[in-house]
Amino acid sequence: MNYNTEKNNKVYLYGEIVSEAQFSHEVYGEGFYEFKVRVMRLSGQADILPVTVSERIMTEDMKIGSPICALGQFRSYNKLEGGKSRLMLTVFVRELLDTQPAKNPNSVVLSGYICKPPVYRTTPFNREIADLLVAVNRSYNKSDYIPAIAWGRNARFVRNLSVGDKIALSGRIQSREYQKKQPDESFLTMTAYEVSISKLAAFDDDSEFDIDAEFDLYSSSRAYEREEQDY
């Protein structure tokens, strides 16, 4: 399937490679490698994101400290850890770019279905947040399950959605550290990856909703700047 026609899952990233490439898996004799990429936010903070690249398009320049500019998809897979299945997420690179086409270095556009009831809550500082899990269809009857988080008026909109509702969204991929309690009462620092939503819409019919017109992958960084200022 031509990547350019896959409108329901698109990612653009520009950042700096911060880890050595490690072998991930092999499919039909083609090897895939994973490394971490640091992508800066307007606030000065950084997201450290997992990136998967095929050996077919890897270059000798892909080493720690090197820049990478890529188009791809935000994908999920299950990994068995300690006898339990864990949802893993990665940016799967489909195309490497020679130049940086947008000022915003981190942009994702997704279209899929709500697959768990959204969780709406407010923080002690009265900040409205809603968590949702979106099933995004892929070719060969596969799906990616993408966690996302909405803020403010978007959170209020999300809390009225139901399992099975079809939505489209744009935002950025972010990393977030949290503490997980272990059986011995110690705490392990873990990293979660999710889409921080800047814009979303619910719709019923693909023929009546033009995702390319509504959600620009190379979106202006101003939307993210407002989000960071407002929240």
Side-chain angles (χ1 to χ4, degrees), residues 107-120:
S107 186
V108 57
V109 173
L110 300 175
S111 175
Y113 299 87
I114 301 292
C115 56
K116 287 179 65 176
V119 178
Y120 172 86

Side-chain angles (χ1 to χ4, degrees), residues 6-46:
E6 297 177 356
K7 298 181 179 182
N8 66 336
N9 190 337
K10 298 187 291 183
V11 172
Y12 164 73
L13 282 185
Y14 176 79
E16 178 187 352
I17 298 173
V18 293
S19 72
E20 297 286 352
Q22 302 288 332
F23 179 78
S24 173
H25 62 283
E26 183 178 298
V27 178
Y28 300 119
E30 183 178 1
F32 294 85
Y33 291 80
E34 185 173 281
F35 48 83
K36 298 292 179 62
V37 172
R38 179 192 292 118
V39 183
M40 300 304 298
R41 298 184 190 178
L42 292 173
S43 63
Q45 294 180 309

Side-chain angles (χ1 to χ4, degrees), residues 23-143:
F23 179 78
S24 173
H25 62 283
E26 183 178 298
V27 178
Y28 300 119
E30 183 178 1
F32 294 85
Y33 291 80
E34 185 173 281
F35 48 83
K36 298 292 179 62
V37 172
R38 179 192 292 118
V39 183
M40 300 304 298
R41 298 184 190 178
L42 292 173
S43 63
Q45 294 180 309
D47 292 297
I48 309 298
L49 306 177
V51 171
T52 301
V53 182
S54 165
E55 62 184 359
R56 180 175 49 84
I57 62 173
M58 285 190 70
T59 69
E60 295 181 354
D61 295 332
M62 288 184 179
K63 53 189 177 181
I64 294 176
S66 298
I68 181 172
C69 190
L71 294 173
Q73 297 176 314
F74 198 24
R75 291 188 176 182
S76 70
Y77 61 96
N78 290 312
K79 182 178 181 181
L80 200 61
E81 291 186 346
K84 295 183 179 180
S85 180
R86 183 184 174 201
L87 183 70
M88 309 293 289
L89 295 150
T90 187
V91 175
F92 185 85
V93 172
R94 302 294 297 270
E95 181 183 351
L96 295 171
L97 304 178
D98 293 328
T99 58
Q100 183 181 356
K103 291 182 179 180
N104 176 18
N106 181 345
S107 186
V108 57
V109 173
L110 300 175
S111 175
Y113 299 87
I114 301 292
C115 56
K116 287 179 65 176
V119 178
Y120 172 86
R121 64 191 190 279
T122 56
T123 69
F125 297 100
N126 207 31
R127 189 181 190 188
E128 295 175 288
I129 302 174
D131 299 300
L132 62 157
L133 187 66
V134 183
V136 180
N137 291 336
R138 205 199 305 172
S139 55
Y140 307 110
N141 295 318
K142 294 183 178 181
S143 295

Side-chain angles (χ1 to χ4, degrees), residues 75-229:
R75 291 188 176 182
S76 70
Y77 61 96
N78 290 312
K79 182 178 181 181
L80 200 61
E81 291 186 346
K84 295 183 179 180
S85 180
R86 183 184 174 201
L87 183 70
M88 309 293 289
L89 295 150
T90 187
V91 175
F92 185 85
V93 172
R94 302 294 297 270
E95 181 183 351
L96 295 171
L97 304 178
D98 293 328
T99 58
Q100 183 181 356
K103 291 182 179 180
N104 176 18
N106 181 345
S107 186
V108 57
V109 173
L110 300 175
S111 175
Y113 299 87
I114 301 292
C115 56
K116 287 179 65 176
V119 178
Y120 172 86
R121 64 191 190 279
T122 56
T123 69
F125 297 100
N126 207 31
R127 189 181 190 188
E128 295 175 288
I129 302 174
D131 299 300
L132 62 157
L133 187 66
V134 183
V136 180
N137 291 336
R138 205 199 305 172
S139 55
Y140 307 110
N141 295 318
K142 294 183 178 181
S143 295
D144 295 295
Y145 296 91
I146 309 299
I149 185 168
W151 315 86
R153 63 181 179 273
N154 284 334
R156 293 192 293 275
F157 178 80
V158 164
R159 70 176 174 178
N160 295 316
L161 298 177
S162 302
V163 172
D165 285 347
K166 189 165 188 178
I167 67 167
L169 61 88
S170 64
R172 67 161 181 261
I173 302 171
Q174 68 180 19
S175 60
R176 173 176 54 83
E177 290 189 345
Y178 66 97
Q179 300 292 314
K180 184 175 182 180
K181 193 173 184 179
Q182 303 300 296
D184 62 359
E185 301 300 317
S186 64
F187 288 87
L188 179 65
T189 300
M190 307 284 287
T191 303
Y193 304 101
E194 60 202 359
V195 173
S196 179
I197 298 172
S198 64
K199 182 180 179 182
L200 79 160
F203 63 101
D204 297 318
D205 190 347
D206 286 333
S207 64
E208 297 179 357
F209 186 86
D210 188 342
I211 191 171
D212 283 339
E214 297 291 339
F215 297 89
D216 181 8
L217 183 63
Y218 304 111
S219 57
S220 167
S221 60
R222 292 180 180 177
Y224 299 88
E225 186 174 14
R226 287 197 299 270
E227 176 187 325
E228 291 179 352
Q229 288 175 348

